Amino acid sequence: MPRPRAFDERRVLKRARDRFWETGYAGTRMDDIAQATGLGKGSLYGAFGDKGKLFHRVFGDWCTAVVEVAEERLAGGPDAEALARLEGYVRLMAENTAADTGRRGCLLAKGVAELAEHDPAVAGRSAETMTALLTLLRTEISAAQRHGDIDSAADPERLAALLLTVVRGVEAVGKAGLDPETLRNVADTALAVLPRPRG
């Protein structure tokens, strides 16, 4: 019968995530994770596997959290409130980036930039995450079209892709040093160009 773990798994994963977030995958050694978590390397390997498996775990958890944040804002509801939900989500993402004064950026973006070309697990998980975000945005755009707040002749798939690109792009340019007010203006401009019904 296996013994119960004598450590808080969530705390350990959070500290491992923060280490990967700070120094990247290549720049992080299992010795670094051990130091950050207070666990021996043997315990880390036994609980989570090698460095790659541990990163996949924290990366997957991060991707899940990204979608959950979107679901909180874009969870559906009355069509009359769909446009407000879209606006709230896009502006929230700009504000979150503006508040990232350390310019750490998003672990999803960092992991993809560093690993997606050579790591099918990272590439696949990031694609799933983008698809989920696209679906949430498209659903709200379609609801806003039904209510008459967005032109019904517009393609909701293309508009969703535009907003997703803006949201993810704001994170990238924010990390690169664009000032908070400009980030907010980008979000507002993207929302302003959503096509309204004619007349």
Side-chain angles (χ1 to χ4, degrees), residues 129-188:
T129 303
M130 292 301 111
T131 298
L133 295 174
L134 194 64
T135 298
L136 288 165
L137 289 164
R138 184 181 62 239
T139 298
E140 293 291 13
I141 288 166
S142 295
Q145 288 176 306
R146 286 193 299 271
H147 188 256
D149 291 322
I150 294 177
D151 186 358
S152 61
D155 184 339
E157 186 77 28
R158 290 186 177 188
L159 293 180
L162 171 65
L163 290 184
L164 179 58
T165 302
V166 168
V167 165
R168 302 309 304 174
V170 161
E171 187 277 330
V173 297
K175 187 175 185 298
L178 215 56
D179 66 273
E181 189 59 29
T182 301
L183 301 178
R184 296 182 185 105
N185 289 339
V186 169
D188 288 343

Side-chain angles (χ1 to χ4, degrees), residues 9-10 16 21 36 39 53 69 72 101-102 130-131 139 155 170:
E9 183 176 286
R10 292 179 64 184
W21 196 4
L39 292 180
K53 289 179 180 175
V69 168
E72 288 173 6
T101 55
M130 292 301 111
T131 298
T139 298
D155 184 339
V170 161

Side-chain angles (χ1 to χ4, degrees), residues 6 9 17 29 37 41 44 47 64 70 78 92-93 98-99 109 117-119 141 143-144 150 156:
E9 183 176 286
R17 179 204 69 193
R29 302 168 303 148
T37 61
K41 287 197 293 184
L44 287 169
T64 296
L92 173 67
M93 294 298 98
E117 182 180 359
H118 306 291
D119 188 327
I141 288 166
I150 294 177

Side-chain angles (χ1 to χ4, degrees), residues 40-104:
K41 287 197 293 184
S43 296
L44 287 169
Y45 283 118
F48 305 108
D50 61 18
K51 185 176 88 165
K53 289 179 180 175
L54 178 56
F55 181 80
H56 290 157
R57 174 71 182 274
V58 299
F59 184 78
D61 289 348
W62 182 279
C63 290
T64 296
V66 166
V67 175
E68 286 175 348
V69 168
E71 287 174 338
E72 288 173 6
R73 294 286 175 151
L74 307 172
D79 288 356
E81 299 170 6
L83 183 59
R85 290 191 295 269
L86 282 168
E87 291 171 342
Y89 174 68
V90 172
R91 290 189 174 117
L92 173 67
M93 294 298 98
E95 287 299 331
N96 285 350
T97 301
D100 181 17
T101 55
R103 287 161 56 176
R104 286 200 298 178

Side-chain angles (χ1 to χ4, degrees), residues 2-13:
R3 291 182 301 171
R5 291 177 180 167
F7 60 85
D8 183 339
E9 183 176 286
R10 292 179 64 184
R11 182 188 66 84
V12 169
L13 287 170

